[in-house]
Amino acid sequence: VQLQASGGGLVQAGGSLRLSCAAPGRYSRTISNNGMGWFRQAPGKEREIVAAINWNGGSTTYTDSVKGRFTISRDRSKNTVYLQMDSLRPEDTAVYYCAAARGSTASSDTASYAYWGQGTLVTVSS
């Protein structure tokens, strides 16, 4: 399953972006019952979980640094997952990846994820 992430770009500190993640074509239904996650990787750093959501959107989890600023959501009718990012900071600059978990829960464990998107670059200027 190839996921497609989009919505990245250049924004000033304090600004907002919304990332989208979809599984196009014949894979669109494949992830409808999967937990989904957003990860990011900054230059020289390891990939880290940003947010995760369970299969029906009823449960979410966030890394501490984005709590209160980022919101993960999903539209199951469109098989799309979103990451609304507000109050962006320069330290949020990274390549953001979406991923589909093997199970249905909102997992923070990278090993739980089986399918990955290609990444979208978010750059926050100070």
Side-chain angles (χ1 to χ4, degrees):
V1 177
Q2 181 64 47
L3 303 177
Q4 292 185 349
S6 61
L10 174 63
V11 64
Q12 289 188 333
S16 298
L17 283 173
R18 188 176 80 156
L19 307 182
S20 299
C21 174
R26 63 190 179 100
Y27 298 118
S28 62
R29 291 183 176 271
T30 302
I31 65 170
S32 62
N33 293 319
N34 293 58
M36 297 292 293
W38 284 98
F39 295 75
R40 66 186 179 187
Q41 187 166 18
K45 295 187 176 181
E46 293 187 354
R47 188 172 299 187
E48 64 171 351
I49 182 75
V50 175
I53 190 167
N54 76 331
W55 73 280
N56 67 356
S59 177
T60 58
T61 185
Y62 299 89
T63 193
D64 286 346
S65 62
V66 307
K67 286 180 180 177
R69 300 188 299 122
F70 290 10
T71 303
I72 188 171
S73 62
R74 68 190 301 165
D75 184 338
R76 296 184 74 235
S77 68
K78 297 180 180 179
N79 288 302
T80 302
V81 179
Y82 304 97
L83 184 67
Q84 177 67 40
M85 305 186 295
D86 299 317
S87 301
L88 282 161
R89 305 167 180 170
E91 53 264 39
D92 294 318
T93 294
V95 177
Y96 283 70
Y97 300 88
C98 64
R102 294 180 180 85
S104 61
T105 61
S107 175
S108 297
D109 183 0
T110 304
S112 298
Y113 290 83
Y115 309 110
W116 293 82
Q118 82 285 4
T120 184
L121 177 62
V122 172
T123 304
V124 184
S125 62
S126 57

